[in-house]
């Protein structure tokens, strides 16, 4: 069953979201340089998506992290935590200044999210491939036990983690139980730690795979915020099956010397590189 989606973004709102994404990228570079370890390419590539989620799409309340009417966002590819932390801080879950504690001993902001460490974190993630199973279970409870039709579960995944069989078991489960309130988002940036995804373990016709598993599939430019918002609205309008959005992104987006270079998957900038990256982000104004 398909219902009517809400109206698209107006130009002023779109520009504000683009500026939000740029701000997230600035925070990502700054916190990674301070931490001296972590992952750069993926978080930078997902900044537009997280700006759209936290500042437009998610129903959430930073002052009530456990608000019972909230939507749920599960980060499956936990190593991209800097973009999640940046979005949460800029939303008001904790002070932006705390981003400077990333990966420090005793910090609430560890290299992979720990659910009990920070209000607003919905899952602990690190081992890849588990997020969609968590999301499917959560969506099943919302739909079939709580009988709620006004909450959605979002699961953000990396394309490299689709090598994990657990993802496809969860995909079958979600289709079987018609989990229309489950929205998967794949960061399709074509890199993983050892190189190009199509060299390491080819995903081939990724949209065709999800379609064959019974999902409603959309593919968009992951840096086109308006397209991301439209895709999520279309997913929410499809109530009889789960939806997946394949978001094609550029790893390292916004920092020219990092873009499309898989070696930045698990590297961070030194002080000189961070300064160059911040200059590029400042000169660029809003994204796109």
């Amino acid at each position: 069953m398909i219902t009517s989606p809400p109206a698209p973004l107006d130009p002023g709102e779109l520009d504000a979201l683009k500026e939000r994404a740029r701000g997230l990228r600035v925070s990502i570079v700054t916190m990674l340089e301070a931490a001296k370890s972590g992952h750069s390419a993926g978080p930078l590539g997902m900044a537009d998506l997280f700006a759209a989620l936290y500042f437009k799409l998610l129903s959430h309340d930073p002052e009530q992290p456990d608000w019972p009417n909230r939507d749920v966002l599960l980060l499956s590819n936990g190593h991209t935590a800097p973009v999640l932390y940046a979005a949460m801080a800029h939303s008001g879950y904790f002070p932006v200044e705390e981003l400077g504690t990333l990966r420090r001993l005793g910090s609430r902001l560890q290299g992979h999210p720990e659910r009990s460490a920070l209000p607003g974190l919905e899952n602990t993630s690190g081992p890849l491939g588990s997020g969609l199973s968590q999301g499917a279970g959560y969506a099943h409870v919302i739909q079939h036990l709580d009988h709620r039709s006004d909450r959605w579960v979002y699961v953000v995944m990396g394309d490299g983690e689709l090598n994990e069989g657990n993802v496809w078991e969860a995909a079958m489960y979600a289709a079987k139980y018609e989990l229309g309130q489950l929205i998967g988002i794949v960061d399709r940036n074509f890199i993983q730690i050892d190189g190009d995804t199509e060299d390491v373990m080819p995903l081939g016709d990724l949209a065709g795979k999800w379609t064959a598993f019974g999902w409603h599939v959309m593919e968009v430019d992951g840096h086109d915020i308006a397209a991301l918002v439209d895709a999520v609205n279309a997913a929410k309008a499809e109530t009889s099956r789960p939806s997946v959005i394949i978001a094609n992104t550029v790893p390292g987006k916004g920092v020219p010397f990092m873009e499309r270079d898989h070696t930045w998957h698990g590297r961070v900038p030194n002080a000189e590189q961070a300064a160059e990256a911040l200059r590029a982000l400042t000169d660029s104004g809003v994204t796109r």
Side-chain angles (χ1 to χ4, degrees):
M1 181 175 129
I2 299 178
T3 60
S4 299
L9 292 169
D10 66 62
E13 192 175 17
L14 179 57
D15 282 345
L17 289 172
K18 289 178 179 180
E19 182 59 27
R20 286 286 191 184
R22 190 185 69 83
L24 297 185
R25 289 188 169 97
V26 168
S27 288
I28 290 165
V29 169
T30 303
M31 76 173 92
L32 286 172
E33 190 275 326
K36 311 302 181 191
S37 68
H39 297 75
S40 298
L44 287 168
M46 294 198 295
D48 302 295
L49 169 63
F50 273 75
L53 287 169
Y54 272 85
F55 298 100
K56 174 62 179 179
L57 294 164
L58 286 175
S59 181
H60 68 118
D61 184 353
E63 295 186 2
Q64 300 181 75
D66 296 325
W67 180 44
N69 296 327
R70 73 191 185 282
D71 291 336
V72 175
L73 174 66
L74 305 175
L75 183 68
S76 187
N77 50 339
H79 58 276
T80 63
V83 69
L84 173 62
Y85 294 150
M88 292 177 67
H90 284 253
S91 296
Y93 282 91
F94 59 90
V96 172
E97 293 75 20
E98 191 174 345
L99 293 173
T101 70
L102 177 69
R103 288 179 169 246
R104 290 185 188 173
L105 184 64
S107 171
R108 299 193 294 177
L109 312 181
Q110 288 304 307
H112 293 80
E114 181 184 347
R115 182 177 180 273
S116 62
L118 192 67
L121 282 180
E122 298 285 2
N123 68 318
T124 298
S125 54
L128 294 172
S130 300
L132 193 61
S133 294
Q134 295 169 337
Y138 211 127
H140 189 118
V141 170
I142 287 174
Q143 286 185 229
H144 299 303
L145 299 182
D146 294 345
H147 303 289
R148 295 285 299 268
S149 61
D150 58 345
R151 298 181 68 197
W152 278 265
V153 178
Y154 298 80
V155 180
V156 177
M157 299 168 275
D159 52 0
E161 77 171 301
L162 301 187
N163 297 164
E164 299 282 354
N166 190 17
V167 173
W168 302 103
E169 293 177 40
M172 288 189 289
Y173 178 95
K176 170 182 169 59
Y177 290 102
E178 300 179 348
L179 300 181
Q181 286 161 245
L182 175 63
I183 302 173
I185 304 173
V186 177
D187 177 33
R188 185 63 164 132
N189 66 9
F190 287 89
I191 68 164
Q192 53 195 103
I193 196 165
D194 290 326
D196 191 296
T197 57
E198 304 312 286
D199 293 331
V200 177
M201 182 59 70
L203 292 169
D205 180 7
L206 187 55
K209 285 181 170 64
W210 285 100
T211 299
F213 274 73
W215 285 55
H216 172 216
V217 183
M218 291 162 284
E219 190 162 4
V220 301
D221 177 349
H223 303 300
D224 185 336
I225 292 176
L228 287 165
V229 170
D230 287 347
V232 169
N233 287 336
K236 292 172 74 172
E238 173 56 76
T239 60
S240 60
R241 55 181 171 161
S243 295
V244 64
I245 300 166
I246 300 171
N248 293 293
T249 64
V250 174
K253 178 69 174 177
V255 179
F257 65 84
M258 292 185 189
E259 290 185 353
R260 297 184 174 86
D261 183 350
H262 82 269
T263 65
W264 285 99
H265 172 88
R267 288 170 58 197
V268 299
N270 58 31
E272 186 175 311
Q273 291 167 327
E276 181 181 348
L278 293 174
R279 281 194 298 272
L281 290 167
T282 300
D283 292 344
S284 68
V286 296
T287 56
R288 292 185 65 77

